[in-house]
Every structure is written in C-alpha cells, then in structure tokens.
Amino acid sequence: MKILILIIALMTSISIYSQENESISKLIIGMEKSALERWNNGDPSGYLEIYAKDIVYFDPWTEARLDGLDKLTKLYEEMRGQVNVDKYDLINPKVQSVDNMAVLTFNLTSYSGETAYKWNCTEVYILDKDDQWKIIQTHWSFTKPDLDVERTD
C-alpha cells in the first residue's frame, strides 16, 4: 500500500511539473512573439521591456559582448524605425525550464521583400523578484553562414 501511495504521489508531481513547464513555455514563447512583432515594425521597445537590467547580448554585428540594458538600449535606439520585416517564421521554439530560470532556443527566418534571413537564437530568462520573466542573456547568430574560410584539417 505504501508503494502505491508513493507511485501516485510521484506521478502527481510529474504531472504538475509537466503542466508548469508547458505554461512557462507558452508564456515565454508568447513574450518572444510579441517582442518580435514590434521589432519587425521598427520598434525595439518590445524587447527592451523584457530585458533584465543586467542583460548580456551577442549578435553578428557586435564586436564584443554588450553588458547591461543601457548599452543595449543605445544600440537599439540607433536602429529604431530601420527594421522592416514583411513576414517571419519562428521555427521549432523550445523552452527548457527549472525553478526560476528558462532557456528559449529557436530558428527564425525573416523576410524583407524576396530576401530571406535565417537566424539562430538562444535566450536565457530569469524569474525576477516581481515574478516577471526577464531575458538576462541573448545570442543571435546566422544559420549556416557562408563563410569564406579554408578548412585546415
């Protein structure tokens, strides 16, 4: 009888954990889509609103990591109104979460006219003291870039 009670308790815990992860996944993917919609129309504020103050950021155009919301705000404000994406595909988003931290990974194809841009993205979220999910780390890279580099194996 004790084993049966233990099994039921374990299965209930697993079910609750799975439901919590699904809820966190839907929330974080929704936050990303909302920020991305604004970004695609030249408005970086959607992202700036969900970045933590101590955000760290990489993308193919930054020579080094950017540390802090103030530096990222400066970069984004220089781009305000300049991004115009006609449509996009958020491909295979996946959220992995534990306690107060979650990692979102996805591929993105954005289209401007007939040109498609393919991206990889990894973002780390933290649940802050106000129970709000905030991005503390973002890394953007090109998907399979055409590198003109000779292999030396």
Side-chain angles (χ1 to χ4, degrees), residues 89-102:
D89 296 317
L90 186 68
I91 303 162
N92 199 23
K94 181 173 184 163
V95 175
Q96 297 168 287
S97 63
V98 293
D99 300 325
N100 67 341
M101 189 165 285

Side-chain angles (χ1 to χ4, degrees), residues 8-151:
I8 290 171
L10 181 60
M11 291 180 73
T12 301
S13 295
I14 291 170
S15 176
I16 290 170
Y17 177 76
S18 177
Q19 290 170 0
E20 287 176 2
N21 275 351
E22 186 175 328
S23 175
I24 291 167
S25 292
K26 285 181 181 178
L27 176 67
I28 287 176
I29 292 169
M31 290 170 63
E32 183 69 30
K33 285 181 178 179
S34 178
L36 196 53
E37 292 284 337
R38 291 174 70 180
W39 176 266
N40 289 344
N41 290 297
D43 178 9
S45 297
Y47 278 110
L48 293 171
E49 292 166 4
I50 62 174
Y51 286 149
K53 288 183 178 161
D54 57 346
I55 179 83
V56 294
Y57 177 89
F58 287 101
D59 79 21
W61 290 282
T62 56
E63 192 168 321
R65 183 185 68 228
L66 294 179
D67 293 332
L69 185 57
D70 55 338
K71 289 181 182 171
L72 195 51
T73 299
K74 182 179 177 194
L75 173 70
Y76 278 13
E77 289 302 331
E78 291 171 1
M79 295 189 289
R80 184 176 291 279
Q82 296 182 31
V83 176
N84 186 9
V85 173
D86 298 321
K87 66 177 184 168
Y88 72 93
D89 296 317
L90 186 68
I91 303 162
N92 199 23
K94 181 173 184 163
V95 175
Q96 297 168 287
S97 63
V98 293
D99 300 325
N100 67 341
M101 189 165 285
V103 178
L104 169 63
T105 55
F106 60 92
N107 295 100
L108 176 74
T109 303
S110 55
Y111 302 89
S112 184
E114 296 297 315
T115 306
Y117 301 92
K118 295 184 177 191
W119 298 91
N120 304 312
C121 183
T122 301
E123 293 179 322
V124 179
Y125 285 75
I126 190 165
L127 190 60
D128 71 10
K129 61 181 167 68
D130 298 321
D131 282 336
Q132 299 294 311
W133 287 100
K134 296 286 185 175
I135 300 172
I136 61 169
Q137 198 275 344
T138 296
H139 190 144
W140 288 91
S141 64
F142 296 120
T143 302
K144 294 179 72 175
D146 184 18
L147 301 176
D148 190 16
V149 179
E150 289 185 37
R151 294 185 69 164

